[in-house]
Every structure is written in structure tokens, then in C-alpha cells.
Amino acid sequence: MPTTATPEYELFAIRYATRDAQRRDHFIGGDPHEGPMPMDYFVWVAIADGSAIVIDTGFKEDVAIQRKRTFLRCPIETLGRLGVDPTRVSDVVLTHLHYDHVGNFDLFPSAAFHLQETEMHYATGRYMRYPRLAHSFEVEDVCGIVRLNFARRVTFYDGDATVAPGIRVHRAGGHSAGLQFVSVNTRRGWVVVASDVTHFYENMESGRPFVTAFHIGEMLEGFDLLRAVAPTPDHIVPGHDPLVMKRYPAAAPDLDGIAVRLDVASVAETG
């Protein structure tokens, strides 16, 4: 019998917000070399055969104001510039339920959402009584995903799974109890969208986790998981590093500084 080839996705990162920060803000225990280290915020989208799978949904402008983030653009509106109509998107992968990864879920009226079940338990369970952990969540976002579950629009996973041909999720935990990352089959092989398994290239490369942590041991193991899934370290895309916008080409001339292509070789691979 003939076999169906795994789709090769075009894969994009959309930069929608940023914030000024210092190096000490991004490493447990601080950093001896103090200096500026800004943080970018992204959503990702994989496109093949006329359909799109969105990875995370960002946050809205009111949350940016509340949390003192610099809001650049609505990431969901920006999908339209890549030819993606959010009202027709059928699948959204949520890497976790922190405020900057789930805030625009309501702009995908037709989508099924894909989440680790551990993350739902975490976001609605006993640990949310502690402000240090609850701070990373917006209550209304969590309640919204609960409502979607009652509407039979959430698919839960318990570990690694295939969401669609060429799209896989991998549980990591650590930063958030049910954090997952995503591997996407592209023309250059499997690209790993790390999300917050490693916020910056430097977190993973130096073995120093980010400051927001549920389980530090799992955060360290997460770096190993990324390397195990990715064909090479250059196939790993961190969740918040401004270097992503410098290492990959713009999706189109009019999207310079807004969206980059991750399905083509990075500067590190070509240089």
C-alpha cells in the first residue's frame, strides 16, 4: 500500500511584544555579568497544504499595560499577513497556561486546543494559592480554558504525542508543571519550538534555568530533552530570545522585525 508522506510545514515566529530587562532577571541565582538583556514575546504558526496549526496565542494589550510589557501588535491579527485566518484555524497547541501563551484563545472560535493534562491540574489546583506561582497566570484565561473543556474543545495529553502528521508535543515540565514543547517537520528537518523550556539560547547553553520555576530539576532535564528531539542544537528555537529575529530571515520584506521563517537554515547553520 502507498504511504502518505509527512507534511513539511512552513514555520514562522511572530514577535508581538517585548520588555526591557537585565541579565539578573533571567537566571536562577542572578548573573555576575550585569547588563541589559531584553525579552521578546512570540507566537508560532506551522502552515502546510492550506491549513495552519498555531502554537500559543500571546496576550492582549490590556495585560501588557497591567504587566508593564511593551505591546507591539496583536499576534492574532498578524497571522493574516501570513495568509492565516484565525477563525478557520482548526488546532491550537498551548505549550502551557502562563499569561503570555494563552491570552488570545478566544480569537480562535473553531479551534481545538491541545494541552498537557498536568498543566490544567496545576493551573486550577492547590499551588495557585501561592502568589509566587499564581503570578504567571491570568485567572480569566484559565477559566476560559476550563469552559472550552466543558465545550469539548480541549484535547489533553499525558506525555509525548502526535497532534497531527508532522506536529508532535513533548512534555517537559519544570518552568510550569505541564509545560510542553513542539517539534515540527519542515524542509530542514524537525525544528523544535522550545517555548519556555529554554527562554533564551543562553539558558540551555549555560545550563542555568530561568527564574520562574516550578521544578528546577525538570527544567535542567528539559534542556536534555530539547537536544534529544532536535537533529542539531541549531534546530532548537527558544521561547523569548531576541536573537531569534536576528538568526532567521524575515517572512517577507514587509514583515522585517515582525515575523521570521524557522523552516530555513539559521545564520548559525549557514555562517
Side-chain angles (χ1 to χ4, degrees):
M1 295 179 63
T3 58
T4 302
T6 302
E8 290 185 349
Y9 289 85
E10 295 180 338
L11 181 61
F12 303 90
I14 297 171
R15 175 177 178 260
Y16 70 92
T18 189
R19 75 177 177 100
D20 293 330
Q22 299 294 311
R23 290 186 58 82
R24 65 175 177 268
D25 300 323
H26 304 316
F27 303 97
I28 290 176
D31 187 86
H33 307 291
E34 190 55 282
M37 193 173 182
M39 172 182 280
D40 280 350
Y41 296 83
F42 298 95
V43 302
W44 304 270
V45 60
I47 303 172
D49 301 326
S51 63
I53 294 178
V54 174
I55 303 169
D56 289 341
T57 59
F59 54 71
K60 299 179 187 290
E61 188 170 12
D62 60 334
V63 171
I65 294 170
Q66 170 191 327
R67 292 180 178 260
K68 298 181 172 58
R69 306 307 190 237
T70 300
F71 191 76
L72 302 174
R73 60 192 59 86
C74 174
I76 313 311
E77 290 179 2
T78 307
L79 287 172
R81 299 178 67 175
L82 295 171
V84 175
D85 179 354
T87 67
R88 300 183 65 181
V89 168
S90 60
D91 294 279
V92 174
V93 176
L94 298 176
T95 61
H96 57 306
L97 294 179
H98 283 177
Y99 77 95
D100 51 326
H101 295 263
V102 68
N104 293 295
F105 70 89
D106 57 315
L107 300 182
F108 295 90
S110 303
F113 292 80
H114 301 265
L115 182 70
Q116 291 288 323
E117 186 170 11
T118 304
E119 184 69 2
M120 181 64 89
H121 293 171
Y122 177 53
T124 59
R126 68 184 189 273
Y127 292 110
M128 293 303 100
R129 67 188 297 178
Y130 300 111
R132 183 67 183 88
L133 296 175
H135 173 74
S136 297
F137 297 87
E138 287 289 326
V139 172
E140 292 307 313
D141 291 342
V142 175
C143 291
I145 301 303
V146 170
R147 293 187 183 98
L148 287 179
N149 184 38
F150 274 84
R152 300 185 297 280
R153 290 179 55 195
V154 183
T155 299
F156 290 107
Y157 300 95
D158 181 18
D160 298 355
T162 297
V163 171
I167 305 284
R168 302 171 179 165
V169 293
H170 311 265
R171 186 195 175 279
H175 170 69
S176 189
L179 174 64
Q180 61 185 352
F181 63 94
V182 186
S183 58
V184 181
N185 190 49
T186 74
R187 68 170 86 178
R188 70 177 180 117
W190 288 88
V191 175
V192 171
V193 178
S195 184
D196 289 2
V197 180
T198 187
H199 284 63
F200 294 85
Y201 287 104
E202 193 173 346
N203 291 120
M204 179 182 65
E205 291 168 355
S206 66
R208 293 181 295 157
F210 190 73
V211 292
T212 300
F214 176 68
H215 192 297
I216 295 173
E218 286 189 350
M219 293 178 81
L220 292 165
E221 290 178 333
F223 301 152
D224 296 331
L225 291 173
L226 294 175
R227 295 186 184 99
V229 171
T232 74
D234 290 327
H235 286 72
I236 299 171
V237 182
H240 289 276
D241 201 324
L243 287 175
V244 170
M245 300 300 292
K246 297 179 179 179
R247 293 191 180 187
Y248 291 94
D254 64 333
L255 291 172
D256 187 33
I258 298 173
V260 293
R261 293 194 67 153
L262 306 176
D263 57 314
V264 298
S266 68
V267 171
E269 292 174 274
T270 58

